[in-house]
Amino acid sequence: MAPTIPLLSPYQMGKFNLSHRVVLAPLTRQRSYGNVPQPHAALYYSQRATEGGLLITEATGVSNTAQGYPETPGIWTNEHVEAWKPIVNAVHDKGGVFFCQIWHVGRVSNYGFQPNGEAPISSSDKEMTPGLAGGDWSPPRRLRTDEIPALVNDFRLAARNAMEAGFDGVEIHGANGYIIDQFMKDQVNDRTDKYGGTLENRCRLALEIVEAVANEIGAHKVGIRLSPFADYMECGDSNPEALGLHMANALNKYEIVYLHVIEPRMVQMGSIFETPYSSVPMKKAFKGTFISAGGYKKDDGNNAIANGNADLVAFGRLFLANPDLPKRFELGAELNKYNRDTFYIPDPIVGYTDYPFLEV
């Protein structure tokens, strides 16, 4: 009998017994019409579910100010909760472990997505370059200090709603240049109150959200995704290694179940670069499960597990195009190629649930 490859070895993530270490990364698919999750999502996620496999949803808005892209799902209303329930059930019927990624885009938005056409909110009023990443971004409004508790509460309520929908846990989206990242990174955050200036102050919002969510649903059901090394959406930091290490250490206080980090080589979406940075110090500092993401293929995913640089590895585009990715890894089978042109189209089937399975 052939030895088990590292990616397919079992792992205990807190209270969750995982049968393998291949994680479905959170992937925005823009097929939740009117911000309401749709029945076709039940097929999409259940196709990728395995007994004891961890799946993370696409980024899911925590409030009516959280949106910045068309047809992305929400979880701030009862209608959203009810719409998620059959999707969660479909994953659980396959034995999968399902976390909901909760999200607020901050300044990565425009007036058209905001209630009453208002300005998007952010840590500062710094604008993004017009047309960046193909978006029509509107100038943001700096949140007042007294408004920040309401933002924290939005994440708390979203987490509670995720539990009502039946999810096993939530992942707080603190990466990719969205609102939590906009507070953590000094390229954007120019505040002079207790949420700006020092590293500790810039990380305050992230940790307040973690604390509120953990207190609401239990720390054993909470993860967070960070991208300290990246400058997505012009949201970079002058000392990314210090930022990452500070967060890894600070998160230990809350005893959350996992830390999900986008690798330093993914400083731009979809492209791999050599950088001088390393996530290994974060892995060593954090006491829970460490999930690594960032353009992984089978071999370097196996190496990350074997070398102790990650506990789990999240796969995005490969899992999108190969609903049976763990099985293909097991058999050494050829992989379907993904079609980037269909990543974000609104079609409920094409490029979504029509990627073929192995015929075995």
Side-chain angles (χ1 to χ4, degrees):
M1 184 173 174
T4 302
I5 68 171
L7 281 169
L8 299 182
S9 59
Y11 178 77
Q12 184 78 26
M13 184 184 83
K15 297 183 178 181
F16 301 102
N17 297 311
L18 303 183
S19 61
H20 59 78
R21 302 173 188 238
V22 180
V23 178
L24 175 65
L27 298 167
T28 290
R29 303 308 313 273
Q30 296 184 349
R31 288 165 167 88
S32 297
Y33 312 137
N35 304 130
V36 179
Q38 298 294 307
H40 47 249
L43 177 58
Y44 169 75
Y45 283 111
S46 65
Q47 282 180 335
R48 288 154 183 79
T50 53
E51 183 73 39
L54 174 62
L55 288 74
I56 306 168
T57 70
E58 59 210 282
T60 301
V62 300
S63 72
N64 64 351
T65 68
Q67 307 302 311
Y69 301 91
E71 318 298 6
T72 52
I75 198 158
W76 71 88
T77 71
N78 188 60
E79 181 186 12
H80 298 149
V81 171
E82 293 302 314
W84 273 117
K85 284 181 178 179
I87 302 168
V88 176
N89 288 340
V91 170
H92 284 163
D93 286 346
K94 295 278 290 288
V97 177
F98 206 12
F99 273 52
C100 181
Q101 189 190 63
I102 54 176
W103 182 44
H104 194 299
V105 300
R107 69 176 187 165
V108 187
S109 187
N110 64 45
Y111 302 136
F113 288 107
Q114 297 300 311
N116 305 314
E118 296 168 1
I121 59 174
S122 182
S123 61
S124 80
D125 55 9
K126 289 184 180 179
E127 298 181 42
M128 292 190 297
T129 299
L132 177 72
D136 178 24
W137 315 117
S138 300
R141 175 180 72 82
R142 181 192 307 265
L143 271 176
R144 300 190 314 269
T145 309
D146 65 345
E147 293 177 297
I148 290 176
L151 175 61
V152 174
N153 197 49
D154 285 339
F155 277 87
R156 181 185 68 81
L157 293 175
R160 185 167 77 186
N161 286 345
M163 295 300 99
E164 176 67 24
F167 283 103
D168 297 295
V170 301
E171 174 177 285
I172 297 163
H173 196 346
N176 297 97
Y178 300 120
I179 201 161
I180 294 173
D181 219 17
Q182 290 159 31
F183 272 81
M184 287 194 290
K185 303 280 186 65
D186 59 14
Q187 183 179 348
V188 180
N189 187 339
D190 60 0
R191 302 175 72 92
T192 56
D193 63 358
K194 67 178 182 177
Y195 292 94
T198 65
L199 184 57
E200 290 76 14
N201 281 357
R202 286 184 279 118
C203 293
R204 188 184 304 275
L205 173 67
L207 298 175
E208 286 183 350
I209 290 171
V210 167
E211 183 173 30
V213 169
N215 286 343
E216 181 67 34
I217 68 171
H220 63 290
K221 298 178 181 178
V222 179
I224 188 170
R225 193 179 213 215
L226 301 176
S227 58
F229 309 100
D231 59 358
Y232 302 130
M233 297 301 179
E234 297 178 330
C235 191
D237 194 77
S238 60
N239 193 339
E241 286 188 303
L243 172 60
L245 191 58
H246 174 80
M247 281 298 294
N249 281 306
L251 288 166
N252 287 328
K253 171 184 175 183
Y254 306 101
E255 299 182 337
I256 61 172
V257 69
Y258 74 71
L259 170 57
H260 183 180
V261 174
I262 299 173
E263 283 295 315
R265 62 189 184 169
M266 295 296 288
V267 292
Q268 293 180 9
M269 286 289 205
S271 302
I272 295 176
F273 296 88
E274 289 295 321
T275 71
Y277 305 122
S278 171
S279 65
V280 173
M282 294 180 70
K283 166 71 167 70
K284 291 180 177 177
F286 184 67
K287 293 176 181 173
T289 293
F290 192 86
I291 305 177
S292 188
Y296 276 100
K297 296 182 171 62
K298 177 182 174 181
D299 287 347
D300 51 1
N302 279 324
N303 288 338
I305 301 296
N307 296 336
N309 293 337
D311 299 309
L312 308 172
V313 176
F315 292 86
R317 290 160 290 171
L318 293 189
F319 220 152
L320 180 157
N322 297 274
D324 51 357
L325 186 65
K327 175 62 71 175
R328 289 176 189 257
F329 282 171
E330 179 186 355
L331 299 177
E334 186 176 351
L335 299 182
N336 300 324
K337 291 182 170 55
Y338 55 80
N339 180 0
R340 191 181 297 277
D341 292 340
T342 62
F343 282 1
Y344 307 115
I345 64 172
D347 195 288
I349 299 171
V350 176
Y352 192 57
T353 57
D354 60 349
Y355 281 103
F357 288 75
L358 284 172
E359 295 180 12
V360 291

